[in-house]
Amino acid sequence: MKYQAPRGTYDILPEDIRKWHYIEDIIRRLTTLYNYSEVRTPIFEQLDLFQRSVGEDTDIVEKEMYTFKDKKGRDLALRPEGTASIARMVAERNLQSSTREPLRIWYEGQMFRYSRPQKGRYRQFYQFGVECIGSPKPIIDAEIIAIGWQILQEAKVPDVSLEINSVGCPECRDKYNILLKEFLYKDKDKYCTDCQRRMEQNPLRIFDCKNKTCQHLIEKAPRMLDNLCEECAQHFEEVKNSLEMMKVPFIVNPEIVRGLDYYTKTAFEYKINYLGAQDALGGGGRYDGLIGYLGGRQTPAVGLSMGLERIILSLEKSGFSFSEEDNLEVLIIPIGINPIQASIEMMQKLHEAGISAIVADEGSSVGSNLKYCDKNNVSFAILIGDNELKSGLYVVKNIKKKSQSEVKKEEVIDFIKTHEVVVK
RNA sequence: GUGGAUGUAGUUCAAUGGCAGAGCACCGGAUUGUGGUUCCGGUUGUUGUGGGUUCGAGUCCCAUCAUCCACCCCA
């Protein structure tokens, strides 16, 4: 085989696309109900944008970005996530927003990360995201979390758990980091090599370490949640209250750390436990500093993103049956070459009437064409041969009823419309 | 980036170092213009790719590509 899709990429085939339409329809419907508008941003951006917003020390920036120079020598990168572009767009266009009237937007599209592929982890993958920009209020955090939750419920993804945490603001987080590092450095040499590395780069990750020794050591470590400043603690309480009002079930997990640096205060993840190593469907959080950091007006914001592949994989795993795509309604079967023109004209009239139809290959037998109709749930077959050309009466077969009528060619459309059986 | 498993027809899978096969799917036919079942027949192919060992390689060795699994990380 000469060509293959590049490593970590794949084609969505006709028989798979309905799965995507299914989840995309739900995303559109739910975001519309909450008055969010879709936006589309470029698939690549200045490299610098991601380095600054996602964070220099993150895995994404350190080793997972598709970077390239264009012909003018500009440093660019395929987007590894969506929020950076949204923040850039808001800052660049100076999009007006306020607490009274936050900007509610959502997006969907391909993201790119150079990581080792596995099931549910690809180098090109689809994410959708929902972002509310302009309000610092906790009820907006809850709104975002609830939208993601409802989308997963609507889609019938089984056994999702929602875990929330607060990672604090720059003030209390910096204080906490000093506290935590002091604690960690006390027994620095006792931690595994991974954790010694994490101490420098992302100390919070040590809480996730599976090594027993590290787990034991970290048990007594100070927790972010216990060291929030008054404002952040208050904010977190109100997010929890709002979620309760919205009847969105959650658990507080003080170990939720997101892999991006821009988060402040609220952080959350939607998790499942049946896709192997891939246990996160998505997550998000508040990023009050990002837009200002990128040169825009200081604007608080909160958002979420989720992976479409993982949602679809969860549904497949649970045996969910996706609805069928629309079937062909009419197959026109010309018998011999004389009726070809009449067949094409018939097809065009059907199309004008909004009825899907194609003309069968004139060289194949009537029998095999009817078999095709049976197998593919085609509703009607129209037979046109020399006799029909002469009489102007076409043979219209109702495949499901196994019945056959001779219909004046001018009346075929009406006949089909009145005899159409809606099968769902 | 680390460690491991796998790769044969459209698909699911066989084949001791000795002529590449079966089910499903697909196509054709069962008196030439009529149906899902049945019966008969047919094609399934650069054995992922490139080297090597051998009289002979799907099988053994090396490299490479891809998929999967566990790390890492995350969607």
Side-chain angles (χ1 to χ4, degrees), chain A residues 4-266:
Chain A
Q4 291 172 274
R7 179 157 210 217
T9 70
Y10 62 97
D11 303 306
I12 302 172
L13 300 174
E15 65 260 33
D16 297 321
I17 198 69
R18 64 206 159 95
K19 300 172 185 171
W20 294 80
H21 290 163
Y22 166 77
I23 181 70
E24 286 164 353
D25 286 348
I26 290 168
I27 293 164
R28 283 217 174 75
R29 204 170 72 240
L30 263 300
T31 49
T32 302
L33 287 176
Y34 279 90
N35 195 223
Y36 282 71
S37 306
E38 184 179 2
V39 295
R40 299 189 185 181
T41 62
I43 218 160
F44 59 87
E45 298 268 2
Q46 290 176 39
L47 172 60
D48 184 49
L49 173 69
F50 299 119
Q51 289 173 332
R52 283 171 54 96
S53 44
V54 175
E56 292 280 4
D57 298 333
T58 59
D59 275 17
I60 293 176
V61 166
E62 268 188 357
K63 45 188 201 191
E64 294 182 355
M65 272 215 286
Y66 278 91
T67 61
F68 62 100
K69 280 186 196 292
D70 70 7
K71 291 179 194 272
K72 210 64 185 286
R74 302 174 183 95
D75 284 304
L76 301 170
L78 298 181
R79 60 185 182 190
E81 60 101 39
T83 303
S85 298
I86 298 293
R88 190 226 79 221
M89 178 184 78
V90 170
E92 178 183 349
R93 317 294 293 245
N94 215 354
L95 297 182
Q96 294 298 311
S97 65
S98 63
T99 305
R100 163 73 192 76
E101 203 174 355
L103 187 63
R104 289 181 160 90
I105 53 186
W106 69 275
Y107 62 86
E108 186 215 317
Q110 290 100 319
M111 306 296 161
F112 304 85
R113 289 185 206 170
Y114 189 89
S115 59
R116 191 121 160 202
Q118 278 178 38
K119 191 178 272 310
R121 198 171 79 179
Y122 305 93
R123 289 184 170 179
Q124 173 183 275
F125 58 98
Y126 289 79
Q127 263 189 349
F128 75 91
V130 185
E131 316 275 353
C132 188
I133 292 147
S135 171
K137 294 206 170 170
I139 196 162
I140 299 297
D141 304 48
E143 172 176 307
I144 289 288
I145 295 170
I147 290 172
W149 178 256
Q150 282 181 35
I151 287 172
L152 294 173
Q153 297 305 303
E154 281 281 308
K156 308 226 167 24
V157 179
D159 304 321
V160 183
S161 67
L162 166 62
E163 303 186 356
I164 67 170
N165 188 24
S166 176
V167 295
C169 60
E171 290 78 44
C172 52
R173 186 164 42 192
D174 283 353
K175 277 188 202 157
Y176 167 74
N177 274 334
I178 292 167
L179 216 62
L180 179 62
K181 279 194 177 171
E182 274 172 14
F183 175 89
L184 294 171
Y185 276 80
K186 247 181 0 199
D187 298 309
K188 186 174 180 195
D189 300 334
K190 293 185 187 162
Y191 291 88
C192 68
T193 48
D194 274 343
C195 283
Q196 296 194 17
R197 178 178 53 81
R198 289 182 179 119
M199 275 178 211
E200 309 302 328
Q201 298 181 344
N202 201 344
L204 290 175
R205 281 256 170 254
I206 297 177
F207 286 108
D208 292 334
C209 186
K210 276 148 196 111
N211 183 303
K212 290 233 165 69
T213 318
C214 300
Q215 276 180 351
H216 186 72
L217 286 166
I218 201 82
E219 254 171 37
K220 294 203 177 78
R223 295 304 182 114
M224 184 72 240
L225 274 187
D226 302 323
N227 288 277
L228 293 174
C229 64
E230 207 168 307
E231 189 199 323
C232 288
Q234 176 69 22
H235 186 94
F236 191 53
E237 283 309 306
E238 288 181 33
V239 171
K240 288 190 285 186
N241 289 339
S242 301
L243 285 173
E244 274 160 18
M245 281 194 272
M246 294 171 180
K247 299 195 168 56
V248 175
F250 63 88
I251 52 178
V252 174
N253 179 354
E255 288 161 16
I256 291 284
V257 187
R258 309 243 64 222
L260 305 100
D261 283 356
Y262 51 64
Y263 286 115
T264 55
K265 293 181 177 158
T266 313

Side-chain angles (χ1 to χ4, degrees), chain A residues 287-307:
Chain A
Y287 48 99
D288 287 345
L290 182 60
I291 294 166
Y293 180 62
L294 294 178
R297 257 194 323 251
Q298 226 16 273
T299 308
V302 55
L304 71 84
S305 69
M306 280 199 240

